[in-house]
Amino acid sequence: MRSYISMALMLFLRIISILTAFGLSVYALTFAIESDNGVQYTNSIGVLLPPGAAPPEQQVLKQFSEERPYNEWFRTVYKGAAGKYLIAEPLTRTDQNFELRGGAAERWEVSEDGLTWTFYIRPGLQWSDGHLLTAHDYVFSLRRGADPENAYDFGWYYQPIKNWVKVVARQMPTDSLGVWAADDLTLKITTESKTPHLPLLLTYSWASPEHTVKKHGDAWSTRPETSVSSGPFMVTEWTRGNEMILEANPVYRGVDKPYLERIIYKMFNSTTPPQRLPAYEAGEVDFAEIESQAELARLLSDGRLKDQVHSWPNFWTHYLFYDTQKPPFNDRRVRLALSLAVDRDALSRSALKGFAVPAYAMLPPGFPAYGGDTFKTMQAYDPERARQLLAEAGYPNGRGFPSVDMWLRNEPIMHRDAAEGLQALLQRNLNIHIEVRNVENKVFMDGLNNHTFQFGMVPYEFDFVDPSNLLGLWMSNGRHNWNNKAFDALMIAAGAEVKDPNRRISLYQDAERLLVEDIAGVFLWHKQKAQIWKPYLKGSALEPNHIGYRSWRGDQVMSSSLTLYIANL
Amino acid sequence: MNTPQPAASGLWRDAIRRFSKNKLSVTAASIIILITLMAIFAPLISPAHYSEANFDDAWQFPSLTHPMGTDSIGRDYFSRIVYGARISLIVGFVAQMISLLIGIPLGAIAGFVGGRADYLVMRLVDVMSVFPSLLFAILIMAWLGSGLSNVLFAIGITGWVGVCRLVRAQFLSLREADFVRSARSMGGSSTHIVVRHMLPNAISPIIVGLAMGIPQAIFAEAGLSFLGLGINPPTPSWGQMVSSHLPNVIYYWHLALFPVFMIALIMLGFSLIGDGLRDALDPRMNE
């Protein structure tokens, strides 16, 4: 009797479970379709996830981010939180191969004289509160960037735009800026001179919402309640010092719809940086930056973690600069002597091990107009010839060489070690003593921009993939006291070459040749990025592209970064 | 010479006897003597110059060729530790000398002259005591810039307050002592009384204060160098070595361990000597 009851109970339970499983699978079928790799899901904003992706509720990315007051690109870059890249739509974006593609602008054209650009805004774009995203928002945004009252910290970047410099300097009103809307969907921009890379420049044009800024002022981006979004994500929660949560924007009408449902930023203050690797190992974040050789060595020695470590080249050049107008560095022989006395390979093998490759020119490998290999031989490590050149310049065995300070901009320990390596190399090979002076950012930038430093070491990381970005800072009005009219002329000619991209590239190559041959600076190393990420984190941004570069930089700047998703393991 | 001065020699002889009976103090003294010898004979002891970089040997763990390993640009770490003793000892002694040169005269004036002078000196001492001395040293370093002479100045100028208080207190009590009154009644000048009668009687607490002050100065230098405000590279300083290799300690443990150990050792050595001297110089201490 008892066995019958238990059998009946078992049967009943089995029926229930079969029914439940059937119900669940029917339920799942409404959201997922079968594919070769099993179930394929659709996320809450209607994007079909790639095969092998985890269900939508697991599409959450957790990462560290520095706590900063604002969350709006055109308010401030350096005091702006990481969400600013995702809650607004830029006019253009680049893909994994750095190819330009449309963002808010679906196409653009330039006038016959190369000075007036027309951007056609995609129809139907909107802010998360229902307002339409129009050309007027971009006019407002760029004027906001130029407005002296806004004191924008990234203003130098937009100087090619007509009257930008004058507006910033209060010589002209903001509405005289060369940006206006012909109609709701047509944005016009004029430039000071021909600027073929303007669409590339405008990958950094995350729009500010005119109607919201007018209503709430600068504070609009500081609270989720007043924050609106025209981008793939929107801010739903921001508890200061703790977390910022972004969720996929359900009314986003742009082209870069994300797979992820949610991004959780774990906020930290720059004064108390987080323990990145322990947090990563504890599963609090899905990826982490590797910042020292010890971290890299420890991870690579760990059989479980070493496959999660990735490193790839970054478009980043560290170089020594000279004041070429004053002795001793007004003599090209002295500049060349220093360049030949620096063993770049040795630095990349020791202090910078795993984080750098030797550099022989400003443009890094893989960058358009790269020519580093051809400049390598003329700067190859040759202490003998370096000593000879220094003697010819009047300092035999370093005698009489003035004491020189090498200025550094608030460098981390790894780069300070490399600077000590440089100090040792110059002492050993040329018998000249230099003092390494690592100073804080403001002191350094004042000294650099006022040309009061004779000698120093500084990095430059690219903003957009065009030679004008990395070479432009060497022009006579730039940050270094190397004034070369021929270089300026080549840079201007290349900048004005709108029609023939190949001629443009070769002009930039000529310009860089002048730069390197005159030893305006000593190019030391290109930085390698190193990160660790979980095996379930996937996406084309994490994959090497045709030049071995990964467009993933730890933030979601490029459109390919929006392809991140969480895979089923 | 056949009649030794009974009191003075008795005190010092007793002190030496008491000190040498204290095993801890003797051990500490021998550690400091060893470190001093290491600093003096650094070029003989160390296998390489402290700034000699062999890039191909970078990041090595301790081995027979490099007993303490090598750093990020392949400098022999043992050599850097040995040369680093020079900086620590120079800072310890010179900074204390600067403190004494400021503190003793000011304390003597306050204690001996008294009245308005005492008031002024003590208010200056109060003002100086308001700032934490390391903070004050950081302020001075930020103003002067880094470098050994500036470190000595910054630590010396912030360290005299203790000495000053000590000397003043001694002088206040000595001023009323019988032998000082006798000297004065016999027409001794103020300078004579201070230099010949009062200072010798105040010397033992000053010595103890000196011995206790040295490790503080060494630690202050390590602290300043740790913050990047101390000794300029490539000159090795233990504090700077700790600071520049702190992020590496999770794997290259030797880079932070050895300098930390040396800082601890020299601090402990001087502190124990100070303790021993205090006991030894106290005439009331009888075994």
Side-chain angles (χ1 to χ4, degrees):
Chain A
M1 196 60 190
R2 285 175 75 95
S3 62
Y4 279 116
I5 293 171
S6 69
M7 269 177 72
L9 207 66
M10 290 285 281
L11 195 68
F12 178 71
L13 282 175
R14 197 162 291 166
I15 289 166
I16 290 280
S17 64
I18 288 169
L19 281 175
T20 314
F22 183 73
L24 274 177
S25 57
V26 168
Y27 177 78
L29 273 172
T30 60
F31 290 92
I33 54 167
E34 293 288 330
S35 78
D36 297 344
N37 297 353
V39 187
Q40 203 175 347
Y41 300 95
T42 303
N43 74 3
S44 69
I45 56 166
V47 178
L48 183 66
L49 300 184
E57 63 272 14
Q58 290 175 32
Q59 296 299 329
V60 179
L61 178 72
K62 300 185 293 283
Q63 66 173 94
F64 281 119
S65 188
E66 193 182 323
E67 183 68 82
R68 291 168 177 178
Y70 296 98
N71 194 28
E72 179 195 356
W73 174 262
F74 279 106
R75 173 67 192 88
T76 166
V77 173
Y78 301 108
K79 287 180 183 162
K84 64 182 181 286
Y85 302 114
L86 289 169
I87 63 157
E89 193 70 350
L91 284 166
T92 57
R93 293 187 198 261
T94 50
D95 67 10
Q96 187 190 359
N97 296 318
F98 308 113
E99 295 295 332
L100 194 61
R101 39 175 286 185
E106 59 183 346
R107 62 196 171 85
W108 48 88
E109 62 198 26
V110 63
S111 64
E112 204 49 41
D113 62 1
L115 294 176
T116 306
W117 293 78
T118 310
F119 290 86
Y120 297 98
I121 308 291
R122 221 175 279 277
L125 298 181
Q126 64 173 53
W127 294 95
S128 50
D129 58 359
H131 265 79
L132 290 181
L133 173 68
T134 63
H136 302 287
D137 285 303
Y138 290 93
V139 174
F140 172 77
S141 302
L142 285 162
R143 281 184 185 167
R144 184 163 164 79
D147 185 358
E149 299 304 322
N150 191 34
Y152 187 44
D153 51 14
F154 207 62
W156 63 270
Y157 181 83
Y158 302 94
Q159 283 177 13
I161 294 174
K162 181 101 183 142
N163 295 337
W164 183 281
V165 177
K166 288 185 182 133
V167 171
V168 172
R170 293 175 197 271
Q171 287 160 1
M172 282 181 141
T174 48
D175 55 13
S176 56
L177 192 69
V179 180
W180 72 96
D183 59 57
D184 280 358
L185 297 176
T186 313
L187 178 72
K188 295 268 191 182
I189 299 180
T190 52
T191 54
E192 289 283 349
S193 55
K194 287 182 189 172
T195 312
H197 61 272
L198 186 76
L200 210 47
L201 204 78
L202 292 174
T203 50
Y204 287 12
S205 59
W206 291 276
S208 299
E210 182 173 12
H211 61 286
T212 309
V213 178
K214 292 218 162 121
K215 193 169 162 198
H216 298 287
D218 286 348
W220 76 272
S221 69
T222 62
R223 295 187 303 266
E225 303 83 62
T226 50
S227 178
V228 296
S229 166
S230 59
F233 287 88
M234 52 197 276
V235 182
T236 55
E237 208 179 308
W238 190 358
T239 44
R240 295 279 169 176
N242 183 25
E243 270 184 355
M244 179 195 265
I245 297 178
L246 301 187
E247 292 201 20
N249 180 358
V251 296
Y252 174 66
R253 299 282 177 262
V255 284
D256 288 302
K257 291 190 176 172
Y259 296 136
L260 292 173
E261 289 284 329
R262 201 180 306 146
I263 296 175
I264 301 175
Y265 293 108
K266 312 258 177 187
M267 306 306 253
F268 65 89
N269 284 315
S270 56
T271 46
T272 48
Q275 294 292 315
R276 292 169 198 270
L277 293 186
Y280 173 83
E281 288 185 59
E284 284 172 40
V285 289
D286 296 318
F287 70 91
E289 206 70 36
I290 301 168
E291 292 175 325
S292 74
Q293 280 87 359
E295 286 178 356
L296 189 61
R298 189 180 81 72
L299 293 171
L300 291 177
S301 69
D302 185 326
R304 197 170 47 85
L305 293 173
K306 73 167 185 256
D307 295 335
Q308 300 171 18
V309 174
H310 308 269
S311 88
W312 68 97
N314 192 8
F315 292 148
W316 167 309
T317 308
H318 242 93
Y319 60 92
L320 296 173
F321 61 87
Y322 302 112
D323 185 340
T324 62
Q325 306 303 306
K326 297 188 195 102
F329 298 123
N330 57 355
D331 189 332
R332 182 182 173 272
R333 288 171 299 190
V334 174
R335 303 201 295 267
L336 181 58
L338 262 64
S339 180
L340 296 179
V342 173
D343 189 347
R344 296 162 173 84
D345 285 310
L347 292 179
S348 299
R349 282 199 311 269
S350 56
L352 304 165
K353 189 177 161 193
F355 288 90
V357 291
Y360 296 92
M362 188 70 195
L363 300 178
F367 210 75
Y370 169 71
D373 291 334
T374 56
F375 304 128
K376 193 170 170 178
T377 41
M378 63 166 293
Q379 298 167 87
Y381 180 52
D382 188 349
E384 201 51 51
R385 190 148 159 264
R387 270 191 290 277
Q388 209 179 325
L389 280 164
L390 198 68
E392 282 170 25
Y395 309 106
N397 194 27
R399 265 199 300 280
F401 199 84
S403 92
V404 172
D405 289 333
M406 176 159 77
W407 296 89
L408 268 53
R409 179 176 66 185
N410 199 14
E411 289 280 15
I413 283 151
M414 193 196 299
H415 301 158
R416 291 211 299 266
D417 282 354
E420 281 192 45
L422 282 167
Q423 187 185 37
L425 282 164
L426 295 179
Q427 180 79 54
R428 182 169 82 196
N429 294 332
L430 299 175
N431 196 27
I432 58 179
H433 179 71
I434 52 165
E435 289 277 354
V436 178
R437 296 203 180 278
N438 192 35
V439 292
E440 54 120 355
N441 203 37
K442 187 179 179 328
V443 176
F444 186 90
M445 290 318 281
D446 287 350
L448 187 70
N449 292 328
N450 301 329
H451 297 168
T452 55
F453 293 159
Q454 218 180 357
F455 184 54
M457 182 176 94
V458 72
Y460 196 84
E461 188 179 8
F462 83 110
D463 303 295
F464 53 92
V465 183
D466 188 77
S468 60
N469 182 220
L470 286 160
L471 293 177
L473 60 98
W474 288 98
M475 289 176 74
S476 299
N477 55 1
R479 67 186 192 181
H480 300 306
N481 209 7
W482 174 69
N483 302 317
N484 190 313
K485 293 281 166 286
F487 178 83
D488 293 352
L490 279 169
M491 288 296 290
I492 291 166
E497 181 55 66
V498 188
K499 301 278 176 255
D500 185 352
N502 291 332
R503 183 162 173 274
R504 182 160 177 269
I505 292 294
S506 89
L507 283 169
Y508 278 125
Q509 279 170 335
D510 292 346
E512 195 185 32
R513 176 164 293 279
L514 271 183
L515 176 75
V516 174
E517 283 181 351
D518 198 43
I519 323 288
V522 179
F523 305 100
L524 297 169
W525 71 85
H526 302 300
K527 187 132 184 166
Q528 297 262 121
K529 264 186 107 59
Q531 275 190 7
I532 183 164
W533 61 70
K534 299 285 184 187
Y536 55 71
L537 193 61
K538 303 269 190 221
S540 65
L542 303 176
E543 306 295 331
N545 64 10
H546 62 300
I547 53 165
Y549 190 100
R550 298 165 209 243
S551 57
W552 173 243
R553 286 207 273 166
D555 51 33
Q556 280 78 2
V557 178
M558 293 187 175
S559 61
S560 59
S561 302
L562 292 160
T563 59
L564 288 191
Y565 65 92
I566 307 293
N568 259 328
L569 281 187
Chain B
M1 283 310 290
N2 50 3
T3 50
Q5 293 171 321
S9 75
L11 172 73
W12 290 109
R13 199 175 289 166
D14 284 356
I16 292 167
R17 187 169 46 80
R18 276 196 289 263
F19 188 84
S20 55
K21 273 198 172 171
N22 186 339
K23 286 200 185 95
L24 209 55
S25 313
V26 172
T27 317
S30 30
I31 288 172
I32 296 303
I33 288 167
L34 270 178
I35 292 177
T36 313
L37 288 176
M38 193 169 91
I40 293 169
F41 297 107
L44 298 177
I45 299 167
S46 57
H49 189 256
Y50 64 78
S51 66
E52 193 183 311
N54 295 306
F55 296 96
D56 288 321
D57 294 346
W59 301 113
Q60 286 189 10
F61 287 102
S63 65
L64 283 177
T65 37
H66 300 290
M68 292 185 183
T70 60
D71 70 2
S72 61
I73 56 172
R75 294 180 293 206
D76 180 55
Y77 218 53
F78 176 66
S79 308
R80 288 182 68 73
I81 291 281
V82 169
Y83 274 96
R86 287 186 166 184
I87 294 294
S88 288
L89 288 173
I90 288 172
V91 168
F93 281 104
V94 176
Q96 273 303 295
M97 284 304 151
I98 295 173
S99 294
L100 291 186
L101 282 178
I102 303 169
I104 292 179
L106 281 180
I109 290 167
F112 186 73
V113 180
R116 204 173 180 77
D118 186 23
Y119 179 82
L120 284 175
V121 170
M122 289 325 285
R123 291 302 78 76
L124 186 61
V125 166
D126 288 345
V127 170
M128 292 291 292
S129 318
V130 170
F131 297 101
S133 60
L134 190 61
L135 199 69
F136 201 65
I138 290 170
L139 196 75
I140 293 171
M141 291 306 292
W143 172 46
L144 294 175
S146 52
L148 178 58
S149 52
N150 294 342
V151 169
L152 296 176
F153 178 75
I155 297 174
I157 201 103
T158 51
W160 59 270
V161 174
V163 183
C164 181
R165 278 220 187 93
L166 199 72
V167 174
R168 174 180 174 270
Q170 287 293 314
F171 273 40
L172 276 180
S173 62
L174 286 172
R175 194 166 62 173
E176 305 304 324
D178 287 343
F179 63 92
V180 173
R181 288 174 175 215
S182 319
R184 192 173 285 142
S185 68
M186 289 174 77
S189 72
S190 298
T191 328
H192 172 85
I193 291 168
V194 168
V195 175
R196 292 303 302 273
H197 296 285
M198 291 174 79
L199 261 185
N201 279 288
I203 203 80
S204 61
I206 291 174
I207 288 175
V208 174
L210 178 75
M212 296 292 209
I214 285 174
Q216 280 168 22
I218 290 172
F219 199 63
E221 182 274 326
L224 286 176
S225 291
F226 184 84
L227 295 170
L229 290 166
I231 312 296
N232 285 327
T235 313
S237 137
W238 292 338
Q240 198 194 48
M241 287 158 87
V242 176
S243 89
S244 61
H245 291 295
L246 206 59
N248 288 322
V249 77
I250 58 164
Y251 192 75
Y252 300 108
W253 52 270
H254 59 289
L255 294 175
L257 181 77
F258 291 117
V260 163
F261 180 73
M262 291 310 289
I263 293 172
L265 200 64
I266 201 168
M267 296 265 304
L268 191 70
F270 275 114
S271 305
L272 289 177
I273 289 179
D275 279 351
L277 281 176
R278 188 192 56 213
D279 294 349
L281 288 169
D282 187 348
R284 281 161 301 186
M285 281 288 284
N286 283 314
E287 52 276 17

